[in-house]
Amino acid sequence: MIKPIKVTITGAAGHIGYALAFRVASGEMFGPDQPVILRLLEIPQALSSLNGVGMELEDCALPLLHDIVLTDDPGIGFRETDYAILIGAKARGKGMERKDLISDNAKIFSAQGKAINDHASGDVRVLVVGNPANTNALIAAANAPDLENKQFTAMTRLDHNRALGQLANKTNKLVADITRMTIWGNHSMTQYPDISNCRIGGASALELVTRDWAIDHFIPRIQRRGGEIIEARGLSSAASAADAVVDHVRDWALGTPDGDWVSMSVRSDGSYGVSEDVVFSFPVTCKAGEYEIVQGLELDDLSQARLKASEKELLEERAIIQELL
Amino acid sequence: MIKPIKVTITGAAGHIGYALAFRVASGEMFGPDQPVILRLLEIPQALSSLNGVGMELEDCALPLLHDIVLTDDPGIGFRETDYAILIGAKARGKGMERKDLISDNAKIFSAQGKAINDHASGDVRVLVVGNPANTNALIAAANAPDLENKQFTAMTRLDHNRALGQLANKTNKLVADITRMTIWGNHSMTQYPDISNCRIGGASALELVTRDWAIDHFIPRIQRRGGEIIEARGLSSAASAADAVVDHVRDWALGTPDGDWVSMSVRSDGSYGVSEDVVFSFPVTCKAGEYEIVQGLELDDLSQARLKASEKELLEERAIIQELL
């Protein structure tokens, strides 16, 4: 019998958590032979709804789902967990200042960092989805002194996948034919979706699309895609965000394909001149649970400026929550 | 290149459709090597929301998803489709008589049967999820004169999976260890979840639970599980229903495991004395896209009576919509 992997999902009764839990439990994250135990964490007000999610999971009779734990206690939710997926966050209310949103979430994620430090497996891997995801990941890691920074990541995989989708659409190719997409920076409007290294079939993407299309259409569309979805659905992205979580964790755990990379927000090690004080999206390759930032890519002046702008935003976010680090 | 399978989902912007589309597109229904094309059909009022679903699917960059068609035109939605999953249906409004609900849905499903007959692949397989599912499947098939009754099924797999989940819970076993669960009858309160043939590990389920538990707790709980979920979530079952769709179609297409069976509502052939005039849930085995009703199971008097009660309900439903057959 293969030992089950324990996966904690916070905000598990929310739209993304609901879309995610069933996909993890059905084997999409760790493959068709790997049992899982779900530890679903919610705030007290959402416990009835979470109970419903638990019942529906039970109703799927999923052979890989060996146990379900439902709780509002972080000490129980993170107990001995192998993967912590932090989705639950305070959403921006009407008229709320961005600064207050960052501060309020900083409190949540500092507490979760502590709880993960005290209760999770020493080998835990953390993915922050709740916004501002990059800075929340920075805070969580800072509050987990027994763990390493590299165990904490934030999600830019949804942006990465959106970029693949748009480029496939534009070039009339299959996404499976595109490699080496990169999202640089913060999971925010300052992110830099970069196709300059993309290969499509045997060709460079830049042979198939114009630079003007990339700058005037592609980049702003990826930056604003979240808003486009909300306008159409009346709800923010849920199933696509959950899909990106599956991709991020699966590739981190099981590895990226040879010759390709993915985008993950990780603590900067100074690569590409990015301050080591921030969690920044880089192109990374993964193998057996470890990521490595891809080195040696060329960045022209415009690209450098975009990285700097996103770094500046992240340093500003950091300054707001400095006292929690 | 493997030829993509075309899958039509009606009501694709609804809760079940939304939970389902991403799982089909990610390869859970037909396996990790089989490309799919999704044809998503909605009513005109839901087209904006459907457009959002289409954008989110694009945002997942799923390598198996070769195309997405979004439409409110059944002629386009069902065009050359291989699998038609009919989820969209009129829900029971406050104070609405059951008879009116059945009649209103009968019109929807007779029109869809005609559209499938005229536009789908001649080899199409149809799964009706929208309630009253069994009678809707009967109507759809009756309005598709060029197709065979055996191409039309209704879903009792959610009940089947719920039953597996409850029995696993009660006996503290894994669902993977349980075989030969059966749901008989109508997907309604008259359904008969039957554990009398179940095997758990090497044992008969009836050696591990009491007959009283089965009759007093298990059967009514499965019959009323839908209501229990609504009470907890404030919403009806969505992800678990989508999961059951994946299971139903996958097993129909790819086959059931040796020594086990599943529950599907299919046109009765008179097995177990059930009238040939109804679509009834039976234990079935599947192989390469064909199902066969399991023969020769023993039914005691109580079981016989339960089958008769569900058959009676289905014959009453049939009488209401007689003019559409």
Side-chain angles (χ1 to χ4, degrees), chain A residues 41-295:
Chain A
L41 184 60
E42 261 295 356
I43 51 176
Q45 306 89 291
L47 277 183
S48 166
S49 180
L50 183 67
N51 193 32
V53 176
M55 288 193 286
E56 280 206 75
L57 280 163
E58 190 173 82
D59 287 355
C60 293
L62 294 161
L64 294 176
L65 181 58
H66 281 212
D67 200 8
I68 311 169
V69 176
L70 309 174
T71 184
D72 62 353
D73 178 343
I76 296 172
F78 292 120
R79 185 175 297 162
E80 292 173 13
T81 203
D82 300 302
Y83 289 87
I85 300 166
L86 309 185
I87 299 172
K90 185 161 179 176
R92 192 167 183 167
K94 221 173 175 174
M96 190 176 184
E97 295 278 342
R98 180 169 163 78
K99 200 181 155 191
D100 293 332
L101 178 77
I102 293 170
S103 298
D104 286 358
N105 275 298
K107 288 169 203 140
I108 295 171
F109 285 84
S110 64
Q112 293 198 335
K114 287 188 188 82
I116 290 168
N117 185 74
D118 295 347
H119 300 285
S121 156
D123 207 34
V124 65
R125 278 158 177 77
V126 181
L127 168 59
V128 177
V129 177
N131 285 317
N134 294 51
T135 295
N136 289 341
L138 184 79
I139 295 161
N143 286 276
D146 302 335
L147 303 173
E148 294 182 63
N149 278 326
K150 68 172 186 180
Q151 292 174 263
F152 289 80
T153 64
M155 192 166 88
T156 28
R157 186 61 177 265
L158 178 54
D159 309 294
H160 179 100
N161 286 347
R162 284 167 170 169
L164 286 173
Q166 290 304 312
L167 185 59
N169 239 356
K170 175 69 181 176
T171 56
N172 204 22
K173 303 284 181 183
L174 295 173
V175 286
D177 295 333
I178 307 177
T179 57
R180 305 192 177 187
M181 179 64 73
T182 308
I183 305 292
W184 301 94
N186 195 5
H187 173 63
S188 75
M189 292 285 285
T190 68
Q191 68 172 270
Y192 171 37
D194 174 13
I195 63 167
S196 62
N197 299 291
C198 284
R199 309 288 302 173
I200 308 184
S204 161
L206 292 174
E207 294 167 28
L208 301 174
V209 299
T210 64
R211 192 179 160 82
D212 281 356
W213 174 79
I215 291 173
D216 297 337
H217 295 276
F218 171 75
I219 294 173
R221 191 160 195 200
I222 302 306
Q223 290 169 333
R224 292 170 194 157
R225 183 67 162 180
E228 202 183 339
I229 302 288
I230 290 173
E231 204 169 310
R233 294 186 65 226
L235 290 166
S236 59
S237 302
S240 55
D243 185 75
V245 171
V246 170
D247 285 352
H248 178 115
V249 175
R250 185 199 57 226
D251 288 348
W252 192 5
L254 306 179
T256 45
D258 282 345
D260 198 6
W261 62 63
V262 296
S263 304
M264 282 170 59
S265 286
V266 301
R267 184 65 178 259
S268 173
D269 63 354
S271 295
Y272 300 98
V274 175
S275 164
E276 293 183 27
D277 286 343
V278 299
V279 169
F280 197 90
S281 185
F282 289 103
V284 302
T285 55
C286 302
K287 197 173 169 182
E290 304 291 339
Y291 66 81
E292 257 184 57
I293 297 172
V294 175
Q295 299 297 327

Side-chain angles (χ1 to χ4, degrees), chain B residues 58-92:
Chain B
E58 191 173 82
D59 288 354
C60 293
L62 294 161
L64 294 176
L65 181 57
H66 281 211
D67 200 9
I68 311 168
V69 176
L70 309 174
T71 183
D72 62 352
D73 178 344
I76 295 172
F78 291 119
R79 185 176 296 161
E80 292 174 12
T81 203
D82 301 303
Y83 289 87
I85 300 166
L86 309 185
I87 299 173
K90 186 162 179 176
R92 190 163 185 172

Side-chain angles (χ1 to χ4, degrees), chain B residues 279-296:
Chain B
V279 169
F280 196 90
S281 185
F282 289 102
V284 302
T285 55
C286 302
K287 198 174 169 182
E290 304 291 339
Y291 67 80
E292 259 185 55
I293 297 172
V294 174
Q295 300 297 327

Side-chain angles (χ1 to χ4, degrees), chain B residues 86-142:
Chain B
L86 309 185
I87 299 173
K90 186 162 179 176
R92 190 163 185 172
K94 223 173 170 171
M96 189 176 184
E97 295 277 341
R98 179 168 164 80
K99 198 179 159 192
D100 293 332
L101 178 78
I102 293 170
S103 298
D104 287 358
N105 275 298
K107 288 170 201 137
I108 295 171
F109 285 84
S110 63
Q112 293 198 335
K114 288 188 185 79
I116 291 168
N117 185 74
D118 294 348
H119 300 284
S121 156
D123 207 33
V124 66
R125 279 159 175 76
V126 181
L127 168 59
V128 177
V129 178
N131 285 318
N134 294 51
T135 294
N136 289 341
L138 184 79
I139 294 160

